[in-house]
Amino acid sequence: MLLVGIVGAAMRTSKSAPARGFATAFAEFFRNTPPLVHIFFAYFALPVVGIKLPAFVAGTLALVFYQGAIAIEILRAGIEAVPKGQFEAASALGLSGFEQFRSIVMPQAFRISLPALGNNLISLLKNTSLISAIGAIEITGVANDIIAIRLTSAELYLTIGGFYLVLVFILSGILRSTEARLARYGT
Amino acid sequence: MTMVAMSHVRKAFGSNEVLKDISLAVDPGEVCCIIGPSGSGKSTVLRCINRLVSIDGGEVIVDGLSVTDPKVKDVDLRRRVGMVFQQFNLFPHMTALQNVTLAPRKVRGLAGARAEETAMRLLAKVGLKEKAQQYPAQLSGGQQQRVAIARALAMEPKVMLFDEATSALDPEITGEVLGVMRDLAAEHTTMIVVTHEMGFAREVGTQLVFMDGGVIVEEGAPRAIFENPQAERTKAFLSKVL
Ligand SMILES: Nc1ncnc2c1ncn2[C@@H]1O[C@H](COP(=O)(O)OP(=O)(O)O)[C@@H](O)[C@H]1O
Ligand SMILES: [Mg+2]
């Protein structure tokens, strides 16, 4: 997801019009359509054109595209928030476009975008529950199997909610400490 | 040979003609100071020299390389030209030392240890050896600008450009930056300095250029111009700032 976001945001802000157009179209399309549709599409529609993916792979891929598209927009905003003077100073030092992106722009854009990226990561985690719709194994999917066997659904979905809560809680903790670590250098 | 030679340079941003026929020659070891009112095109003159802006007409030759020659790569020019900005533009996510070593490592291909050795020498030169591990946000404005000077010097440029290097600083700390610039001048560093510090221009400059409205109105020896300006516009400007 992050990789999609970084590459996409680089293209989205690049000088090349085709790259920009492609990344914009990609981001707008996936961001503005429901993730469940992507999952169904990847699992049920792609086989029609001969791409057969296992449920888990199809589901993960669809979610990575969806959350990646959101990450593109988050990082684009981050890149645009990097002051122009940073680009100028980096250019004046003779750094290549790629080196500017890697060493100067991305670390700052990433820091600016971190809270929003964190939320995106959490939403990715929660959206994994959607993959159960195509029968892949993840927490909700397992629960459905168990319900089919014997337990009451209320108990089970509460437990599942609990599992997700714990996972999100852990992830938030990691994100918060990363933000604090990056805040070290101020401004 | 002339280090920086501009001849008949023209530049417009849209319909705004910012430079109209600018010609200027700076020899090695010279300190050329450019003064003039805000908006007169001083920053644009500097930016033409390292291709931060492209020129519409005329010619700029830097150490024998033409900025309009497509065979001359950006990096070839920028290795020869160091630039210091009004707003410092240090990289906030890097320590002072990392700011200074970045370009030598990435552009000149120096090994880390070599780059750090040079960087520490330069930080010592600007009086900030003990601040090497600090981040820009932990430094005062004057200290940040001195790191920025060390960062530019680390590329071993042939000419240094200063764009109002002290304008963003409180008056009481401009001295520490001007001091570093004086030291560089004393070592015969070729410098082009856009400044509002008339004292610096008068005492350190070897050449003075007064710009207004995208043209060079008057140029010559600093003392001569300060004491006996010829053009009306120069007289009016100097009477306001002195
Ligand atoms: N990138 C740019 N795009 C459009 N106009 C610009 C740009 N840079 C400078 N200008 C304009 O060019 C003129 C001269 O600017 P500048 O060279 O910065 O003057 P100075 O440094 O003497 O104050 C100003 O009118 C400014 O608005
Ligand atoms: Mg200016």
Side-chain angles (χ1 to χ4, degrees):
Chain A
M1 169 196 104
L2 209 51
L3 193 69
V4 172
I6 292 173
V7 173
M11 288 166 67
R12 190 85 169 66
T13 54
S14 84
K15 287 194 198 82
S16 149
R20 221 168 43 229
F22 178 78
T24 309
F26 177 92
E28 289 300 322
F29 177 78
F30 281 99
R31 223 157 47 95
N32 296 316
T33 43
L36 192 57
V37 172
H38 309 156
I39 293 174
F40 281 154
F41 185 85
Y43 189 60
F44 296 116
L46 284 184
V48 177
V49 292
I51 307 171
K52 254 203 177 71
L53 299 170
F56 179 75
V57 176
T60 307
L61 214 59
L63 276 187
V64 162
F65 274 41
Y66 172 67
Q67 307 287 162
I70 296 172
I72 289 177
E73 285 308 296
I74 294 173
L75 280 170
R76 180 187 60 84
I79 290 169
E80 283 168 3
V82 175
K84 207 167 134 267
Q86 293 286 308
F87 293 85
E88 287 186 340
S91 304
L93 284 167
L95 294 169
S96 66
F98 173 72
E99 202 55 67
Q100 287 182 33
F101 186 77
R102 189 176 76 166
S103 302
I104 309 300
V105 180
M106 218 41 227
Q108 294 185 58
F110 192 72
R111 216 202 114 210
I112 295 165
S113 313
L114 198 62
L117 281 177
N119 288 338
N120 189 26
L121 204 59
I122 288 168
S123 121
L124 170 68
L125 181 66
K126 291 191 285 191
N127 281 344
T128 54
S129 61
L130 295 175
I131 303 182
S132 69
I134 53 172
I137 301 164
E138 51 59 72
I139 302 175
T140 320
V142 174
N144 285 335
D145 291 348
I146 298 175
I147 290 169
I149 303 169
R150 60 194 154 91
L151 285 172
T152 75
S153 53
E155 282 166 1
L156 254 154
Y157 283 121
L158 272 176
T159 316
I160 299 319
F163 275 142
Y164 272 112
L165 199 62
V166 169
L167 284 176
V168 169
F169 189 72
I170 294 172
L171 187 58
S172 310
I174 296 173
L175 288 167
R176 253 200 316 278
S177 75
T178 312
E179 273 173 49
R181 200 163 45 77
L182 288 176
R184 189 183 46 183
Y185 52 78
T187 60
Chain B
M1 191 178 65
T2 311
M3 186 61 77
V4 176
M6 306 182 84
S7 51
H8 307 293
V9 171
R10 287 185 294 103
K11 175 68 188 177
F13 291 110
S15 61
N16 181 10
E17 272 190 75
V18 173
L19 300 183
K20 308 163 186 163
D21 196 35
I22 296 285
S23 297
L24 180 66
V26 180
D27 287 330
E30 270 202 273
V31 178
C32 172
C33 292
I34 303 179
I35 60 172
S38 162
S40 56
K42 306 180 298 294
S43 298
T44 308
V45 165
L46 294 188
R47 287 153 176 276
C48 290
I49 297 171
N50 63 356
R51 254 193 205 156
L52 282 185
V53 306
S54 57
I55 60 177
D56 298 336
E59 179 71 291
V60 181
I61 311 273
V62 182
D63 191 31
L65 299 180
S66 164
V67 304
T68 53
D69 181 350
K71 288 198 292 291
V72 172
K73 293 199 242 66
D74 286 349
V75 61
D76 296 330
L77 278 167
R78 288 166 183 169
R79 283 180 69 148
R80 288 169 166 77
V81 181
M83 189 161 192
V84 176
F85 301 86
Q86 181 175 348
Q87 298 299 337
F88 330 136
N89 297 343
L90 287 183
F91 306 131
H93 57 299
M94 297 181 182
T95 62
L97 183 64
Q98 288 166 340
N99 265 277
V100 181
T101 56
L102 180 73
R105 286 193 294 117
K106 303 290 182 189
V107 182
R108 291 173 61 202
L110 286 192
R114 269 291 309 285
E116 285 193 8
E117 210 174 287
T118 315
M120 286 310 294
R121 185 171 52 72
L122 289 168
L123 285 172
K125 183 184 174 122
V126 299
L128 292 172
K129 202 168 134 195
E130 71 288 358
K131 300 286 186 193
Q133 302 303 333
Q134 307 271 299
Y135 286 90
Q138 298 170 296
L139 302 174
S140 72
Q143 291 169 337
Q144 289 189 52
Q145 192 60 299
R146 285 185 281 151
V147 173
I149 294 174
R151 177 176 70 177
L153 290 173
M155 291 301 287
E156 298 180 357
K158 296 280 183 79
V159 52
M160 285 283 287
L161 311 178
F162 292 85
D163 194 356
E164 299 196 28
T166 58
S167 294
L169 300 175
D170 293 333
E172 63 270 25
I173 55 172
T174 56
E176 61 189 61
V177 173
L178 292 173
V180 169
M181 292 165 67
R182 276 173 201 269
D183 293 346
L184 291 175
E187 294 164 10
H188 306 292
T189 310
T190 311
M191 296 159 67
I192 304 180
V193 182
V194 170
T195 186
H196 292 299
E197 298 285 342
M198 296 302 147
F200 180 90
R202 185 187 188 119
E203 290 154 31
V204 185
T206 60
Q207 183 184 0
L208 186 72
V209 172
F210 170 65
M211 279 185 72
D212 193 8
V215 298
I216 293 179
V217 176
E218 194 162 344
E219 71 171 301
R223 204 149 297 238
I225 293 179
F226 279 117
E227 276 157 23
N228 189 17
Q230 299 299 308
E232 283 308 318
R233 277 196 278 178
T234 319
K235 284 180 196 166
F237 178 76
L238 288 179
S239 71
K240 255 185 284 172
V241 297
L242 286 180

